[in-house]
Amino acid sequence: MKKSLMAVALFGAFAGVAHAQTAVQIYGNIDAGIQKRSGQTLSIGKRASNTLGFKGTEDLGNGLKALFQLEIRYEPDTGTVENGSRPLFQGQSRVGLQGDFGMVRIGRGLTPYQETVGAFEPFHSLPSVSGFYTDLAVAGYTSAPLDPVTNSNNRWANAFWYNSPVVSGFQLNTAIASKENNGGPAYGTLYPAGAQASANPFSVSATYNNGPAAVMLGYERNAVESKVWSIGAAFNVTPALKLTGLYSHHDQEHVLPGLALPASSGPTTKAWVLGANYTMGPGKFLAGYGQKDPEGSFKTKQFSLGYEYSLSKRTYLYVDASRKDGPSSQARRNIDETINFYTIGVNHSF
């Protein structure tokens, strides 16, 4: 009897140690709203990407940890995988180690440049039409031009990441991807089916965040050797008011042999975005204005306003309005057009 009780006690003790050493978290968010875009009827859509994620760490001792993260992206109105045909773990699938040296990971995820630049536009990296993250903030650049057309254009598969420790507010973030086509056909109609990479993609960003000020400098080259660099700054003027500024430069002078750029593009594209966030009680106002200027084409000008009202720490309502003037998205014609966009919805995190 005593031996049985001792065995139970020892099992409980070891189980407690294992529980303390290993931690797994299920997280995510669901965002849905009603949208209206120029020339289109009312529709159900989303402001933020909807995610279901699993992440965890295991304490290996001596300050070393193993870590992993898997993230599914889905559509709120149908429950299907995002865009209907993206990878199951479209958001990310990475495993790695973390210690005093920093963090290393292998798999699929946002590039360091893309992960950093989104923090310096006023709609905090939301992929919404009202935001600036997917277009003006990166001067029309895509990180993965040879991925299938339905994939997101700001992530790499088959890549290696390194994030340095934060020292006095400074951090260095880098990544390099393998030189391969990840299952195209091509990004839009720009690159032909079966097009192969001409270089290993790499990405680097340096950040400083200490007190009310934050600064970033980022540079990236994709698999067809298009390049982008950005410099951004953010400043909390008061606890309620935050100002942001971002400048980006996209260089497409190196393209695949025999490939002509579309009429709505040029060898270089410059872009800038200015923004502000103002918090008043449970509400937050968002405002931004930016321009994208492709060489030899029409400028894109965008003005956006948003309002978020927090019902709790995890749930908020939102209203956005945006006006965008620029080249037509129809068949890549070099024709100027105006798009107005409105949305109202709810976002819940868990």
Side-chain angles (χ1 to χ4, degrees), residues 51-84:
T51 61
L52 172 62
F54 309 87
K55 61 182 178 181
T57 60
E58 181 185 11
D59 190 347
L60 302 176
N62 298 318
L64 186 64
K65 294 181 180 179
L67 52 88
F68 80 92
Q69 191 164 4
L70 301 170
E71 192 171 281
I72 299 168
R73 303 268 290 274
Y74 64 92
E75 300 294 359
D77 52 342
T78 63
T80 56
V81 174
E82 192 175 60
N83 278 14

Short mmCIF file of all heavy atoms in Angstrom, two decimals, residues 51-84:
data_model
loop_
_atom_site.label_atom_id
_atom_site.label_comp_id
_atom_site.label_asym_id
_atom_site.label_seq_id
_atom_site.Cartn_x
_atom_site.Cartn_y
_atom_site.Cartn_z
N THR A 51 -7.81 33.85 -37.88
CA THR A 51 -6.78 32.86 -37.58
C THR A 51 -7.21 31.88 -36.50
O THR A 51 -8.01 32.21 -35.62
CB THR A 51 -5.48 33.55 -37.11
OG1 THR A 51 -5.75 34.29 -35.91
CG2 THR A 51 -4.94 34.49 -38.16
N LEU A 52 -6.66 30.70 -36.59
CA LEU A 52 -6.71 29.69 -35.52
C LEU A 52 -5.30 29.17 -35.39
O LEU A 52 -4.74 28.63 -36.35
CB LEU A 52 -7.68 28.57 -35.86
CG LEU A 52 -7.67 27.37 -34.90
CD1 LEU A 52 -8.10 27.80 -33.50
CD2 LEU A 52 -8.56 26.25 -35.42
N GLY A 53 -4.70 29.36 -34.20
CA GLY A 53 -3.30 29.04 -34.06
C GLY A 53 -2.99 28.16 -32.86
O GLY A 53 -3.76 28.09 -31.89
N PHE A 54 -1.85 27.49 -32.95
CA PHE A 54 -1.33 26.65 -31.88
C PHE A 54 0.15 27.00 -31.72
O PHE A 54 0.90 26.95 -32.69
CB PHE A 54 -1.46 25.17 -32.23
CG PHE A 54 -2.84 24.76 -32.67
CD1 PHE A 54 -3.21 24.88 -34.00
CD2 PHE A 54 -3.76 24.28 -31.76
CE1 PHE A 54 -4.47 24.52 -34.42
CE2 PHE A 54 -5.04 23.92 -32.17
CZ PHE A 54 -5.40 24.03 -33.50
N LYS A 55 0.55 27.36 -30.52
CA LYS A 55 1.96 27.66 -30.29
C LYS A 55 2.37 27.12 -28.93
O LYS A 55 1.56 27.00 -28.01
CB LYS A 55 2.24 29.15 -30.40
CG LYS A 55 1.52 30.03 -29.39
CD LYS A 55 1.87 31.50 -29.66
CE LYS A 55 1.11 32.43 -28.71
NZ LYS A 55 1.43 33.85 -28.96
N GLY A 56 3.65 26.78 -28.82
CA GLY A 56 4.11 26.22 -27.57
C GLY A 56 5.61 26.33 -27.40
O GLY A 56 6.35 26.58 -28.35
N THR A 57 6.04 26.14 -26.16
CA THR A 57 7.46 26.15 -25.82
C THR A 57 7.75 24.98 -24.88
O THR A 57 6.88 24.53 -24.13
CB THR A 57 7.88 27.46 -25.14
OG1 THR A 57 7.13 27.62 -23.92
CG2 THR A 57 7.65 28.66 -26.04
N GLU A 58 8.97 24.50 -24.92
CA GLU A 58 9.44 23.49 -23.98
C GLU A 58 10.76 23.94 -23.39
O GLU A 58 11.68 24.31 -24.13
CB GLU A 58 9.62 22.14 -24.67
CG GLU A 58 10.09 21.05 -23.70
CD GLU A 58 10.40 19.74 -24.37
OE1 GLU A 58 10.47 19.70 -25.62
OE2 GLU A 58 10.59 18.75 -23.65
N ASP A 59 10.85 23.95 -22.08
CA ASP A 59 12.07 24.35 -21.38
C ASP A 59 13.08 23.21 -21.46
O ASP A 59 12.85 22.12 -20.93
CB ASP A 59 11.75 24.67 -19.93
CG ASP A 59 12.91 25.32 -19.20
OD1 ASP A 59 14.04 25.30 -19.74
OD2 ASP A 59 12.71 25.85 -18.10
N LEU A 60 14.21 23.46 -22.14
CA LEU A 60 15.24 22.44 -22.31
C LEU A 60 16.36 22.57 -21.28
O LEU A 60 17.30 21.77 -21.27
CB LEU A 60 15.84 22.53 -23.72
CG LEU A 60 14.84 22.38 -24.87
CD1 LEU A 60 15.54 22.58 -26.20
CD2 LEU A 60 14.16 21.02 -24.82
N GLY A 61 16.27 23.60 -20.43
CA GLY A 61 17.29 23.82 -19.41
C GLY A 61 18.39 24.76 -19.88
O GLY A 61 18.59 24.97 -21.08
N ASN A 62 19.10 25.35 -18.94
CA ASN A 62 20.22 26.27 -19.23
C ASN A 62 19.80 27.44 -20.10
O ASN A 62 20.56 27.92 -20.95
CB ASN A 62 21.38 25.51 -19.89
CG ASN A 62 21.96 24.44 -19.00
OD1 ASN A 62 22.14 24.67 -17.79
ND2 ASN A 62 22.25 23.29 -19.56
N GLY A 63 18.55 27.88 -19.94
CA GLY A 63 18.07 29.03 -20.69
C GLY A 63 17.65 28.74 -22.11
O GLY A 63 17.31 29.67 -22.86
N LEU A 64 17.65 27.49 -22.51
CA LEU A 64 17.30 27.11 -23.88
C LEU A 64 15.86 26.59 -23.94
O LEU A 64 15.44 25.82 -23.09
CB LEU A 64 18.26 26.02 -24.39
CG LEU A 64 18.13 25.61 -25.86
CD1 LEU A 64 18.48 26.79 -26.76
CD2 LEU A 64 19.04 24.42 -26.15
N LYS A 65 15.13 27.02 -24.97
CA LYS A 65 13.74 26.59 -25.16
C LYS A 65 13.53 26.12 -26.60
O LYS A 65 14.08 26.70 -27.53
CB LYS A 65 12.77 27.74 -24.88
CG LYS A 65 12.72 28.21 -23.45
CD LYS A 65 11.71 29.33 -23.29
CE LYS A 65 11.64 29.82 -21.84
NZ LYS A 65 10.67 30.94 -21.69
N ALA A 66 12.73 25.07 -26.75
CA ALA A 66 12.23 24.69 -28.07
C ALA A 66 10.88 25.36 -28.25
O ALA A 66 10.13 25.54 -27.29
CB ALA A 66 12.08 23.17 -28.16
N LEU A 67 10.55 25.75 -29.49
CA LEU A 67 9.29 26.43 -29.72
C LEU A 67 8.71 26.04 -31.08
O LEU A 67 9.44 25.63 -31.98
CB LEU A 67 9.45 27.95 -29.62
CG LEU A 67 10.55 28.62 -30.44
CD1 LEU A 67 10.04 28.99 -31.82
CD2 LEU A 67 11.08 29.84 -29.72
N PHE A 68 7.39 26.17 -31.19
CA PHE A 68 6.72 25.91 -32.47
C PHE A 68 5.51 26.82 -32.58
O PHE A 68 5.00 27.33 -31.57
CB PHE A 68 6.28 24.45 -32.58
CG PHE A 68 5.00 24.15 -31.85
CD1 PHE A 68 3.77 24.23 -32.50
CD2 PHE A 68 5.00 23.81 -30.50
CE1 PHE A 68 2.58 23.98 -31.82
CE2 PHE A 68 3.82 23.56 -29.82
CZ PHE A 68 2.61 23.64 -30.49
N GLN A 69 5.04 27.03 -33.80
CA GLN A 69 3.81 27.79 -34.04
C GLN A 69 3.18 27.36 -35.35
O GLN A 69 3.85 27.31 -36.39
CB GLN A 69 4.08 29.29 -34.05
CG GLN A 69 2.82 30.14 -34.03
CD GLN A 69 3.09 31.59 -33.67
OE1 GLN A 69 4.24 31.99 -33.49
NE2 GLN A 69 2.05 32.38 -33.54
N LEU A 70 1.90 27.02 -35.31
CA LEU A 70 1.12 26.65 -36.48
C LEU A 70 -0.09 27.57 -36.53
O LEU A 70 -0.75 27.79 -35.50
CB LEU A 70 0.65 25.19 -36.39
CG LEU A 70 1.74 24.12 -36.27
CD1 LEU A 70 1.12 22.77 -35.94
CD2 LEU A 70 2.54 24.03 -37.56
N GLU A 71 -0.41 28.11 -37.72
CA GLU A 71 -1.50 29.08 -37.81
C GLU A 71 -2.32 28.87 -39.07
O GLU A 71 -1.80 28.95 -40.18
CB GLU A 71 -0.95 30.49 -37.76
CG GLU A 71 -2.00 31.57 -37.56
CD GLU A 71 -1.38 32.92 -37.30
OE1 GLU A 71 -0.96 33.16 -36.14
OE2 GLU A 71 -1.27 33.71 -38.24
N ILE A 72 -3.60 28.57 -38.88
CA ILE A 72 -4.55 28.39 -39.97
C ILE A 72 -5.23 29.72 -40.23
O ILE A 72 -5.55 30.47 -39.30
CB ILE A 72 -5.61 27.33 -39.60
CG1 ILE A 72 -4.95 25.98 -39.33
CG2 ILE A 72 -6.67 27.20 -40.68
CD1 ILE A 72 -5.87 24.97 -38.70
N ARG A 73 -5.49 30.04 -41.49
CA ARG A 73 -6.24 31.23 -41.87
C ARG A 73 -7.53 30.78 -42.56
O ARG A 73 -7.49 29.92 -43.43
CB ARG A 73 -5.40 32.10 -42.81
CG ARG A 73 -4.06 32.53 -42.24
CD ARG A 73 -4.14 33.86 -41.54
NE ARG A 73 -4.35 34.92 -42.49
CZ ARG A 73 -3.38 35.56 -43.15
NH1 ARG A 73 -2.13 35.22 -42.97
NH2 ARG A 73 -3.66 36.52 -44.00
N TYR A 74 -8.66 31.36 -42.18
CA TYR A 74 -9.94 30.89 -42.70
C TYR A 74 -10.87 32.06 -43.01
O TYR A 74 -10.65 33.20 -42.57
CB TYR A 74 -10.60 29.95 -41.68
CG TYR A 74 -10.96 30.62 -40.37
CD1 TYR A 74 -12.21 31.18 -40.16
CD2 TYR A 74 -10.02 30.72 -39.34
CE1 TYR A 74 -12.52 31.82 -38.96
CE2 TYR A 74 -10.32 31.35 -38.15
CZ TYR A 74 -11.57 31.89 -37.96
OH TYR A 74 -11.87 32.53 -36.78
N GLU A 75 -11.93 31.77 -43.78
CA GLU A 75 -12.92 32.78 -44.14
C GLU A 75 -14.07 32.75 -43.14
O GLU A 75 -14.62 31.67 -42.86
CB GLU A 75 -13.45 32.53 -45.55
CG GLU A 75 -12.40 32.56 -46.65
CD GLU A 75 -11.79 33.94 -46.84
OE1 GLU A 75 -12.18 34.89 -46.14
OE2 GLU A 75 -10.89 34.07 -47.69
N PRO A 76 -14.48 33.90 -42.59
CA PRO A 76 -15.50 33.91 -41.54
C PRO A 76 -16.90 33.60 -42.05
O PRO A 76 -17.74 33.08 -41.31
CB PRO A 76 -15.43 35.34 -41.00
CG PRO A 76 -14.96 36.15 -42.17
CD PRO A 76 -13.99 35.25 -42.89
N ASP A 77 -17.19 33.93 -43.32
CA ASP A 77 -18.55 33.76 -43.83
C ASP A 77 -18.84 32.35 -44.32
O ASP A 77 -19.99 31.94 -44.41
CB ASP A 77 -18.83 34.77 -44.95
CG ASP A 77 -17.79 34.75 -46.04
OD1 ASP A 77 -16.69 34.22 -45.79
OD2 ASP A 77 -18.07 35.26 -47.14
N THR A 78 -17.79 31.57 -44.65
CA THR A 78 -17.99 30.21 -45.16
C THR A 78 -17.32 29.14 -44.31
O THR A 78 -17.65 27.96 -44.42
CB THR A 78 -17.45 30.09 -46.59
OG1 THR A 78 -16.02 30.32 -46.58
CG2 THR A 78 -18.13 31.10 -47.52
N GLY A 79 -16.35 29.54 -43.48
CA GLY A 79 -15.62 28.57 -42.68
C GLY A 79 -14.55 27.82 -43.44
O GLY A 79 -13.90 26.92 -42.89
N THR A 80 -14.34 28.16 -44.70
CA THR A 80 -13.35 27.47 -45.52
C THR A 80 -11.95 28.06 -45.28
O THR A 80 -11.80 29.14 -44.71
CB THR A 80 -13.69 27.60 -47.01
OG1 THR A 80 -13.80 29.00 -47.35
CG2 THR A 80 -15.01 26.92 -47.32
N VAL A 81 -10.93 27.34 -45.74
CA VAL A 81 -9.57 27.85 -45.69
C VAL A 81 -9.50 29.14 -46.50
O VAL A 81 -10.18 29.30 -47.51
CB VAL A 81 -8.58 26.81 -46.26
CG1 VAL A 81 -7.17 27.39 -46.34
CG2 VAL A 81 -8.58 25.56 -45.39
N GLU A 82 -8.70 30.09 -46.04
CA GLU A 82 -8.63 31.42 -46.66
C GLU A 82 -8.45 31.33 -48.17
O GLU A 82 -7.60 30.60 -48.66
CB GLU A 82 -7.48 32.21 -46.03
CG GLU A 82 -7.48 33.68 -46.38
CD GLU A 82 -6.41 34.43 -45.63
OE1 GLU A 82 -5.23 34.08 -45.81
OE2 GLU A 82 -6.74 35.34 -44.87
N ASN A 83 -9.27 32.06 -48.90
CA ASN A 83 -9.27 32.10 -50.37
C ASN A 83 -9.61 30.76 -51.01
O ASN A 83 -9.52 30.60 -52.21
CB ASN A 83 -7.92 32.58 -50.92
CG ASN A 83 -7.83 34.10 -50.90
OD1 ASN A 83 -8.63 34.76 -50.25
ND2 ASN A 83 -6.85 34.64 -51.57
N GLY A 84 -9.99 29.77 -50.19
CA GLY A 84 -10.46 28.50 -50.71
C GLY A 84 -9.40 27.52 -51.14
O GLY A 84 -9.67 26.32 -51.26
#
